[in-house]
Amino acid sequence: MLPSFRPLACGLLLALGLGRAGQAQQMTAADKAVFKPKFIKQQLLKATKWQLAHPRHKVTDWTNGAFYSGVFAAYQTTKSKLILDSLMAMGERTKWQPDRRYDHADDIVICQTYLNLYRLKKERRMIEPTLVVVEKFRTVPGPEVEKNGIAWWWCDALFMGPPVLVKLGLIENQPKYLALSDTLYQQTYRRLFNHPEHLFSRDASYLWNAAGEGKKESNGQRIFWSRGNGWVMGGLVQILQELPASHPSRPFYVGLFKEMSARLVQLQQPDGLWRSSLLDPAAYPGGETSGSGFDTYAMAWGINNGILDKATYLPAVQKAWVALNKVVSPEGRVGWVQPIGADPRRDFSAESWEVYGTGAFLLAGSEVIKLKH
């Protein structure tokens, strides 16, 4: 049974005020242009086409799992036949298979897209490999638990794994997959969620001991990684999109989503983006677009679905979407993306791109276009 969620911390954060990130602001005509539906659809198409033309990893890699989640959202927004054809071609190319490690969340995230496409096409072959791997994961103990004590031992896994289990459980009418997702999610939450900061540590190596000893940023703060927490926010959206209103675990996820949103909106920087180290923004001054893209996606979704207060969060989402569009090159490359890593300490620039950064941008646009300003 999931714990009842107490919204006290969230309320306290909001009562204290949200600082500069939540303040209303005047937008220029150029800024307002990026919210026009036609422009957003053009940006989603352009970024998708550029990224598809510049592959970087094995298709079933976790990086592409995040990317294709965004590509599917771009299809839903644009109804582009080109995008749908590319998604179907990807599935045919992989034979609808996950990656090789059955018990590692990184290797099943691509199955999110297979399940989304199955809902469109209803061809069983598209989800049978996902069923096989999830059933093996459910019943056969694997090396991840043996090595780490829990299956989802890093916070990014909360984007990779739970949406697959929840989607599959609902498609197949199998509550056991939703129950498994809840159980494993709680294990990660209990290990990695920091209640005073309302954020997730990347993994147990970033936890402090009782004496306050542990990895610290240059300003002495705990290390909370923007992209890792962005993954969690994106995963919460994917879970909440699926769970029925009456599902007993839904209040927990809604409460966590509100609590993290309240903290993250405080940490947004004046240019509209989040920094790779959430509590030491000065150490990594470049705005980081993969974490920022997921945060924008999540907050826009929260507004659109009546979970987040529009007056509080709309200004933050507007600032973020304006800023995200400034890092997209004329040909569609999403820049300022931190390279692959486990913490903030990787340098990047306007030229830095990664497929998951594009995925985050596509997800953000797919929700921003639905906002009523």
Side-chain angles (χ1 to χ4, degrees):
M1 183 70 184
L2 294 174
S4 61
F5 197 95
R6 285 183 262 177
L8 176 63
C10 178
L12 283 174
L13 280 172
L14 293 172
L16 289 169
L18 295 166
R20 58 180 176 257
Q23 301 288 325
Q25 61 172 17
Q26 295 297 316
M27 286 197 292
T28 67
D31 290 346
K32 289 177 182 175
V34 305
F35 293 93
K36 293 186 183 300
K38 183 179 179 182
F39 176 83
I40 294 175
K41 289 178 182 180
Q42 287 172 343
Q43 286 290 84
L44 298 188
L45 274 168
K46 186 167 68 171
T48 301
K49 288 177 181 177
W50 187 89
Q51 195 61 78
L52 288 169
H54 296 82
R56 185 170 258 179
H57 307 282
K58 183 181 178 182
V59 178
T60 51
D61 191 59
W62 64 268
T63 51
N64 279 315
F67 169 55
Y68 279 106
S69 181
V71 175
F72 187 81
Y75 165 69
Q76 290 179 303
T77 303
T78 63
K79 297 296 188 250
S80 162
K81 185 176 185 300
L82 182 149
I83 293 180
L84 181 58
D85 287 349
S86 73
L87 285 163
M88 290 299 296
M90 180 274 290
E92 298 297 351
R93 196 158 66 250
T94 63
K95 297 183 169 53
W96 309 98
Q97 294 286 337
D99 215 328
R100 55 189 177 81
R101 296 171 295 181
Y102 77 92
D103 67 330
H104 200 296
D106 281 0
D107 287 12
I108 66 165
V109 63
I110 193 66
C111 299
Q112 286 184 27
T113 301
Y114 301 157
L115 295 168
N116 289 335
L117 289 168
Y118 169 76
R119 283 173 163 162
L120 291 180
K121 301 293 186 180
K122 297 292 192 293
E123 295 180 31
R124 291 295 295 177
R125 66 191 179 87
M126 297 164 68
I127 63 164
E128 281 165 355
T130 301
L131 265 170
V132 169
V133 75
V134 168
E135 191 57 26
K136 184 176 181 182
F137 176 56
R138 189 181 73 85
T139 56
V140 180
E144 294 306 318
V145 172
E146 185 179 341
K147 284 188 294 185
N148 301 288
I150 60 175
W152 296 339
W153 50 268
W154 71 113
C155 72
D156 326 23
L158 299 181
F159 175 81
M160 314 295 184
V164 173
L165 298 187
V166 173
K167 285 176 193 288
L168 188 65
L170 293 171
I171 288 170
E172 294 293 285
N173 192 24
Q174 289 286 354
K176 64 187 178 183
Y177 296 137
L178 280 75
L180 176 61
S181 183
D182 283 342
T183 298
L184 300 184
Y185 201 108
Q186 283 297 313
Q187 291 173 354
T188 310
Y189 174 77
R190 287 194 295 269
R191 179 180 289 190
L192 299 181
F193 190 68
N194 183 288
H195 291 274
E197 291 294 348
H198 317 283
L199 297 168
F200 278 84
S201 297
R202 193 271 174 178
D203 57 55
S205 72
Y206 293 89
L207 302 177
W208 288 7
N209 64 21
E213 299 165 336
K215 295 176 182 176
K216 295 183 169 97
E217 289 291 13
S218 55
N219 64 356
Q221 293 284 342
R222 295 174 186 266
I223 298 173
F224 290 105
W225 184 32
S226 176
R227 184 160 70 238
N229 281 278
W231 289 121
V232 176
M233 290 293 287
L236 282 167
V237 170
Q238 302 270 344
I239 293 167
L240 289 168
Q241 280 178 332
E242 299 288 340
L243 284 182
S246 60
H247 195 277
S249 66
R250 187 176 176 85
F252 166 77
Y253 295 111
V254 170
L256 180 59
F257 180 77
K258 288 181 172 180
E259 180 177 1
M260 291 186 68
S261 295
R263 183 61 173 130
L264 286 164
V265 80
Q266 290 182 317
L267 298 170
Q268 186 182 28
Q269 297 302 298
D271 65 355
L273 299 178
W274 284 261
R275 299 302 181 260
S276 56
S277 181
L278 290 170
L279 302 190
D280 191 9
Y284 310 94
E288 201 286 310
T289 55
S290 63
S292 297
F294 276 105
D295 292 341
T296 307
Y297 163 58
M299 290 180 189
W301 181 88
I303 296 167
N304 289 331
N305 288 273
I307 294 174
L308 297 181
D309 175 62
K310 184 176 178 180
T312 300
Y313 289 93
L314 182 59
V317 171
Q318 288 174 328
K319 284 178 67 174
W321 183 243
V322 169
L324 285 169
N325 278 278
K326 289 177 179 174
V327 306
V328 180
S329 71
E331 64 269 29
R333 185 193 69 231
V334 179
W336 284 105
V337 181
Q338 187 190 12
I340 293 169
D343 61 32
R345 295 174 181 146
R346 293 293 303 276
D347 198 20
F348 55 99
S349 70
E351 304 303 310
S352 303
W353 62 270
E354 257 299 352
V355 296
Y356 48 75
T358 306
F361 176 78
L362 297 175
L363 287 166
S366 74
E367 284 299 326
V368 169
I369 198 170
K370 300 173 191 171
L371 289 170
K372 292 179 172 58
H373 298 277

